[in-house]
Amino acid sequence: MGFWTLLEVACMPIFQVLIISVLGAFMATEYWNLLPLDARKSINRIVFVVFTPALVFANVAKTITFGDIVSWWFMVVNIGLTFLVGGILGWIVVKIFKPKPYQEGVVIATVSSGNLGNLLLILVPAICNEDGNPFGDHSVCKTTGLAYVSFSMALGNFFIWTYSYQLIRTSSIRWKEHQAAEEAEEASRRCNTDLDADEETQLLKGEDEEQAAVVVSETSVNHAIVAPDESNMPFSHKVFAFFRQILHELLAPPTVAAIVGFFVGAITVIKNIIIGDDAPLHVIEDSITQLGNGTIPCITLILGGNLIQGLRKPTIKVPTLLGMIIAKYVVQPAIGIGIVTGADKLGLLPSDSLFHFVLMLQFTLPPAMNIGTMTQLFDVAEAECSVLFLWTYLVAALALTIWSTIFMWILS
């Protein structure tokens, strides 16, 4: 498979994202006004509670069996390592370039969380259909590849809706603290203006001081709620609070859908009742699949709508953006080659070269689209997220082409 053919294959899913994003951007302009801020937030809640869980469940329950979970165990480790390596690289970018505190979680999540689902669903079958691919027969390659990708999607959603979800939630807390502090400072500044005012002005000024005191008091209370003092808390209470937080994140609708999908796919009796054209209750699968099909278009339209705000008031510094691109598309894929090659030499991987290829690709993918859903959900850094996605997805077209060529050369 030639370089230009690979470039075309890699560009197609990227261009699809960009075209739909541009449409979403136009729909959010004042001229069309079809996707105002309130509409984007409402659609985003539907995506979070309905569409994304449906997509995850449909793909997992349909393609994953208990045998797959056992034989492909290293993919669980590999995806965990992509988040670990990406998280460390994102943390280094944050420490070097020092973005605003509320942007740190978004930066780290963007570097660490790859698009492990819908992008691979397009890329892997397209490569399998090309003549000269190193993975054998077209139909066998495509069927096997889709199974690998579905497993990758399920695992990716589990990590994204726990690890990345926590990062964005933390950024939201910092953003609200930042806003409360600014409001308190502004109220205090208003209290100290015009020292030569008359008695009436002084009276009004006194009222402002009372309002400022209320704002400061509320800020202190909010901060206490968000970050309670744990210095005197017993160790057992800290452990309980930690596991309660983990449980809370595991109960996010997409994560619950992934767990239920694994359960249905692993138990043959239940799977035969719901999944497949001959299943008695296949109408349930069909309905869930139709709901899941709305996930990617809605997320991408919302991403485009948020992009307008980000282009009007860009707040991400260029050095930070360049650092993220280098970390995500230069350093992380190189580390991925070392991890997969080392695991193969240790005998931890199946002999299928397509499985190795998918593992390597997982270190090279652009950010997960669900990060945009999370920023909208927590009302933090939506504009910054859209700008980051614009540039990382533009660069991804070339990066995926180059690294895919290198991966196939290594595996052939």
Side-chain angles (χ1 to χ4, degrees):
M1 184 182 294
F3 177 84
W4 295 111
T5 304
L6 261 178
L7 178 63
E8 181 182 356
V9 170
C11 283
M12 287 304 105
I14 305 298
F15 286 157
Q16 289 177 13
V17 171
L18 294 177
I19 289 170
I20 299 175
S21 296
V22 170
L23 176 61
F26 277 112
M27 292 173 67
T29 59
E30 295 178 359
Y31 180 74
W32 282 9
N33 200 31
L34 295 175
L35 271 182
L37 180 60
D38 290 341
R40 296 199 300 271
K41 289 183 177 180
S42 298
I43 295 173
N44 194 74
R45 293 190 189 98
I46 297 173
V47 169
F48 175 65
V49 176
V50 180
F51 289 169
T52 301
L55 178 67
V56 173
F57 175 86
N59 281 279
V60 173
K62 189 184 301 183
T63 56
I64 305 301
T65 64
F66 183 76
D68 295 334
I69 296 173
V70 173
S71 60
W72 301 342
W73 67 271
F74 189 80
M75 188 177 287
V76 181
V77 177
N78 194 71
I79 292 178
L81 288 173
T82 65
F83 279 82
L84 176 62
V85 172
I88 294 172
L89 293 174
W91 178 81
I92 292 173
V93 170
V94 165
K95 292 302 177 183
I96 292 175
F97 299 106
K98 299 186 183 339
K100 296 178 180 179
Y102 73 90
Q103 297 173 348
E104 291 179 0
V106 178
V107 170
I108 297 174
T110 302
V111 176
S112 61
S113 308
N115 191 330
L116 296 164
N118 57 298
L119 198 60
L120 287 177
L121 282 173
I122 299 172
L123 190 59
V124 172
I127 291 175
C128 286
N129 287 332
E130 290 293 332
D131 295 328
N133 78 78
F135 307 120
D137 180 72
H138 297 329
S139 60
V140 175
C141 173
K142 185 175 180 180
T143 303
T144 307
L146 284 174
Y148 293 155
V149 171
S150 296
F151 193 44
S152 173
M153 175 186 286
L155 294 172
N157 273 281
F158 181 82
F159 280 96
I160 288 166
W161 287 102
T162 51
Y163 172 76
S164 303
Y165 184 84
Q166 172 67 15
L167 286 173
I168 304 300
R169 191 180 71 87
T170 303
S171 290
S172 172
I173 293 172
R174 291 184 175 182
W175 172 239
K176 289 173 182 175
E177 290 177 351
H178 175 71
Q179 284 181 316
E182 283 189 344
E183 289 174 4
E185 184 179 353
E186 179 64 24
S188 178
R189 188 163 41 245
R190 288 199 307 266
C191 293
N192 292 302
T193 57
D194 197 7
L195 296 177
D196 298 325
D198 57 17
E199 183 179 355
E200 182 180 356
T201 304
Q202 291 296 329
L203 179 60
L204 294 174
K205 183 177 174 181
E207 293 175 357
D208 283 345
E209 287 175 349
E210 291 178 2
Q211 292 175 0
V214 170
V215 172
V216 173
S217 175
E218 289 177 352
T219 304
S220 302
V221 170
N222 290 338
H223 184 74
I225 293 172
V226 169
D229 182 16
E230 298 182 353
S231 57
N232 298 321
M233 185 182 295
F235 178 74
S236 59
H237 290 188
K238 293 180 181 179
V239 172
F240 177 75
F242 172 76
F243 282 106
R244 185 174 60 183
Q245 179 63 37
I246 293 295
L247 179 62
H248 174 72
E249 291 167 6
L250 289 177
L251 291 178
T255 309
V256 173
I259 295 172
V260 174
F262 276 126
F263 180 78
V264 172
I267 301 177
T268 306
V269 176
I270 299 177
K271 185 173 184 178
N272 291 338
I273 294 175
I274 300 175
I275 307 300
D277 294 335
D278 298 328
L281 300 178
H282 72 88
V283 66
I284 297 177
E285 179 201 359
D286 295 341
S287 302
I288 293 174
T289 301
Q290 286 185 9
L291 285 172
N293 290 339
T295 306
I296 305 305
C298 286
I299 290 177
T300 314
L301 286 172
I302 293 170
L303 182 70
N306 293 334
L307 183 60
I308 290 293
Q309 182 181 353
L311 292 177
R312 286 173 179 168
K313 296 175 62 177
T315 56
I316 289 288
K317 298 177 182 178
V318 174
T320 304
L321 183 60
L322 291 176
M324 291 174 58
I325 289 174
I326 292 171
K328 192 159 190 67
Y329 294 128
V330 178
V331 181
Q332 195 169 353
I335 295 174
I337 291 176
I339 290 174
V340 176
T341 304
D344 184 40
K345 289 183 178 179
L346 292 173
L348 302 177
L349 304 182
S351 58
D352 187 5
S353 60
L354 180 60
F355 185 76
H356 300 189
F357 179 71
V358 172
L359 294 182
M360 291 181 180
L361 271 182
Q362 288 170 347
F363 284 90
T364 319
L365 297 167
M369 301 292 290
N370 284 324
I371 296 175
T373 302
M374 295 174 196
T375 59
Q376 192 86 39
L377 194 66
F378 287 109
D379 194 23
V380 59
E382 301 104 314
E384 290 88 345
C385 180
S386 295
V387 172
L388 291 176
F389 271 48
L390 172 65
W391 291 108
T392 51
Y393 270 78
L394 283 173
V395 176
L398 182 61
L400 278 173
T401 303
I402 294 173
W403 283 110
S404 296
T405 305
I406 294 173
F407 296 156
M408 286 192 283
W409 176 73
I410 292 173
L411 296 171
S412 59

